[in-house]
Short mmCIF file of all heavy atoms in Angstrom, two decimals:
data_model
loop_
_atom_site.label_atom_id
_atom_site.label_comp_id
_atom_site.label_asym_id
_atom_site.label_seq_id
_atom_site.Cartn_x
_atom_site.Cartn_y
_atom_site.Cartn_z
N ILE A 1 -1.14 -5.88 -4.17
CA ILE A 1 -2.08 -5.30 -3.20
C ILE A 1 -3.43 -6.02 -3.34
O ILE A 1 -4.06 -6.02 -4.42
CB ILE A 1 -2.29 -3.79 -3.51
CG1 ILE A 1 -0.94 -3.06 -3.48
CG2 ILE A 1 -3.29 -3.20 -2.53
CD1 ILE A 1 -0.26 -3.07 -2.18
N ALA A 2 -3.85 -6.64 -2.27
CA ALA A 2 -5.14 -7.42 -2.33
C ALA A 2 -6.32 -6.53 -2.16
O ALA A 2 -7.43 -6.82 -2.65
CB ALA A 2 -5.13 -8.46 -1.23
N ARG A 3 -6.19 -5.40 -1.46
CA ARG A 3 -7.32 -4.49 -1.28
C ARG A 3 -7.62 -3.68 -2.53
O ARG A 3 -6.74 -3.58 -3.41
CB ARG A 3 -7.04 -3.59 -0.10
CG ARG A 3 -6.65 -4.30 1.19
CD ARG A 3 -7.78 -5.01 1.90
NE ARG A 3 -7.34 -5.65 3.09
CZ ARG A 3 -8.12 -6.19 4.00
NH1 ARG A 3 -9.44 -6.18 3.80
NH2 ARG A 3 -7.65 -6.75 5.09
N SER A 4 -8.78 -3.05 -2.58
CA SER A 4 -9.22 -2.33 -3.80
C SER A 4 -8.87 -0.84 -3.65
O SER A 4 -9.01 -0.28 -2.57
CB SER A 4 -10.69 -2.52 -4.02
OG SER A 4 -11.05 -3.89 -4.21
N GLU A 5 -8.57 -0.24 -4.78
CA GLU A 5 -8.36 1.22 -4.86
C GLU A 5 -9.58 1.85 -5.50
O GLU A 5 -9.97 1.46 -6.62
CB GLU A 5 -7.10 1.51 -5.69
CG GLU A 5 -6.83 3.02 -5.84
CD GLU A 5 -6.67 3.73 -4.52
OE1 GLU A 5 -5.87 3.30 -3.66
OE2 GLU A 5 -7.44 4.71 -4.31
N MET A 6 -10.21 2.78 -4.77
CA MET A 6 -11.40 3.50 -5.32
C MET A 6 -11.29 4.96 -5.02
O MET A 6 -12.28 5.65 -4.83
CB MET A 6 -12.67 2.88 -4.69
CG MET A 6 -12.63 2.73 -3.16
SD MET A 6 -14.04 1.75 -2.59
CE MET A 6 -13.28 0.79 -1.31
N GLY A 7 -10.02 5.47 -5.03
CA GLY A 7 -9.82 6.90 -4.77
C GLY A 7 -9.41 7.25 -3.40
O GLY A 7 -9.12 8.42 -3.13
N GLN A 8 -9.37 6.27 -2.47
CA GLN A 8 -9.11 6.56 -1.08
C GLN A 8 -7.65 6.45 -0.73
O GLN A 8 -7.20 6.82 0.39
CB GLN A 8 -9.95 5.61 -0.19
CG GLN A 8 -9.38 4.24 0.03
CD GLN A 8 -9.58 3.24 -1.11
OE1 GLN A 8 -9.58 3.65 -2.27
NE2 GLN A 8 -9.74 1.98 -0.78
N GLY A 9 -6.78 5.96 -1.68
CA GLY A 9 -5.34 5.90 -1.43
C GLY A 9 -4.83 4.66 -0.78
O GLY A 9 -3.67 4.63 -0.40
N THR A 10 -5.68 3.65 -0.63
CA THR A 10 -5.25 2.43 0.07
C THR A 10 -4.08 1.75 -0.71
O THR A 10 -3.16 1.25 -0.07
CB THR A 10 -6.47 1.44 0.09
OG1 THR A 10 -7.39 1.94 1.03
CG2 THR A 10 -6.00 0.06 0.56
N LEU A 11 -4.14 1.77 -2.02
CA LEU A 11 -3.07 1.18 -2.81
C LEU A 11 -1.71 1.74 -2.47
O LEU A 11 -0.72 1.04 -2.21
CB LEU A 11 -3.37 1.32 -4.32
CG LEU A 11 -2.41 0.71 -5.29
CD1 LEU A 11 -3.17 0.14 -6.50
CD2 LEU A 11 -1.38 1.73 -5.77
N THR A 12 -1.62 3.09 -2.44
CA THR A 12 -0.36 3.74 -2.08
C THR A 12 0.03 3.48 -0.63
O THR A 12 1.20 3.20 -0.38
CB THR A 12 -0.46 5.27 -2.34
OG1 THR A 12 -0.78 5.48 -3.75
CG2 THR A 12 0.80 5.97 -2.02
N GLY A 13 -0.90 3.59 0.29
CA GLY A 13 -0.57 3.39 1.69
C GLY A 13 -0.06 2.00 1.97
O GLY A 13 0.96 1.84 2.69
N LEU A 14 -0.69 0.98 1.38
CA LEU A 14 -0.21 -0.40 1.59
C LEU A 14 1.19 -0.59 0.92
O LEU A 14 2.02 -1.26 1.49
CB LEU A 14 -1.24 -1.38 1.08
CG LEU A 14 -2.51 -1.50 1.84
CD1 LEU A 14 -3.51 -2.42 1.14
CD2 LEU A 14 -2.27 -1.97 3.25
N ALA A 15 1.34 -0.03 -0.23
CA ALA A 15 2.65 -0.13 -0.87
C ALA A 15 3.74 0.53 -0.04
O ALA A 15 4.85 0.06 0.02
CB ALA A 15 2.60 0.52 -2.30
N GLN A 16 3.43 1.66 0.59
CA GLN A 16 4.38 2.31 1.48
C GLN A 16 4.80 1.41 2.59
O GLN A 16 5.99 1.34 2.97
CB GLN A 16 3.81 3.61 2.04
CG GLN A 16 3.74 4.78 1.08
CD GLN A 16 3.16 6.05 1.72
OE1 GLN A 16 2.01 6.35 1.48
NE2 GLN A 16 3.95 6.70 2.56
N LEU A 17 3.87 0.69 3.20
CA LEU A 17 4.17 -0.20 4.27
C LEU A 17 5.07 -1.36 3.86
O LEU A 17 6.01 -1.73 4.57
CB LEU A 17 2.88 -0.72 4.92
CG LEU A 17 2.05 0.28 5.67
CD1 LEU A 17 0.66 -0.33 5.99
CD2 LEU A 17 2.75 0.79 6.88
N VAL A 18 4.77 -1.96 2.69
CA VAL A 18 5.61 -3.01 2.16
C VAL A 18 6.99 -2.48 1.85
O VAL A 18 8.00 -3.09 2.22
CB VAL A 18 5.00 -3.67 0.93
CG1 VAL A 18 5.89 -4.69 0.33
CG2 VAL A 18 3.63 -4.31 1.27
N ALA A 19 7.05 -1.36 1.14
CA ALA A 19 8.34 -0.78 0.73
C ALA A 19 9.19 -0.42 1.89
O ALA A 19 10.40 -0.54 1.88
CB ALA A 19 8.09 0.44 -0.18
N GLU A 20 8.53 0.08 2.97
CA GLU A 20 9.28 0.47 4.17
C GLU A 20 10.03 -0.76 4.74
O GLU A 20 11.23 -0.65 5.08
CB GLU A 20 8.30 1.01 5.23
CG GLU A 20 8.95 1.42 6.55
CD GLU A 20 9.92 2.53 6.36
OE1 GLU A 20 9.54 3.63 5.93
OE2 GLU A 20 11.11 2.34 6.73
N GLU A 21 9.34 -1.86 4.90
CA GLU A 21 9.99 -3.04 5.47
C GLU A 21 10.95 -3.70 4.49
O GLU A 21 11.92 -4.28 4.92
CB GLU A 21 8.91 -4.04 5.94
CG GLU A 21 7.95 -3.52 7.01
CD GLU A 21 8.63 -3.30 8.35
OE1 GLU A 21 9.78 -3.77 8.54
OE2 GLU A 21 8.03 -2.72 9.26
N LEU A 22 10.63 -3.54 3.25
CA LEU A 22 11.52 -4.14 2.21
C LEU A 22 12.80 -3.43 2.07
O LEU A 22 13.89 -3.99 1.84
CB LEU A 22 10.75 -4.17 0.88
CG LEU A 22 11.50 -4.73 -0.36
CD1 LEU A 22 11.83 -6.20 -0.13
CD2 LEU A 22 10.61 -4.54 -1.61
N GLY A 23 12.76 -2.07 2.24
CA GLY A 23 13.98 -1.27 2.08
C GLY A 23 14.32 -0.99 0.63
O GLY A 23 15.48 -0.85 0.32
N CYS A 24 13.31 -0.90 -0.22
CA CYS A 24 13.55 -0.69 -1.63
C CYS A 24 13.59 0.83 -1.96
O CYS A 24 13.38 1.67 -1.09
CB CYS A 24 12.52 -1.37 -2.47
SG CYS A 24 10.87 -0.67 -2.26
#
């Protein structure tokens, strides 16, 4: 994840998008 996590949940949201397309 290139973006920063500061309590807003960006880390989880971006991981969800990657995981969705990855199918993991």
Side-chain angles (χ1 to χ4, degrees):
I1 305 297
R3 308 287 181 171
S4 299
E5 178 58 54
M6 49 191 141
Q8 83 281 35
T10 290
L11 181 144
T12 300
L14 290 175
Q16 284 180 258
L17 291 171
V18 175
E20 179 63 59
E21 299 291 348
L22 180 62
C24 65

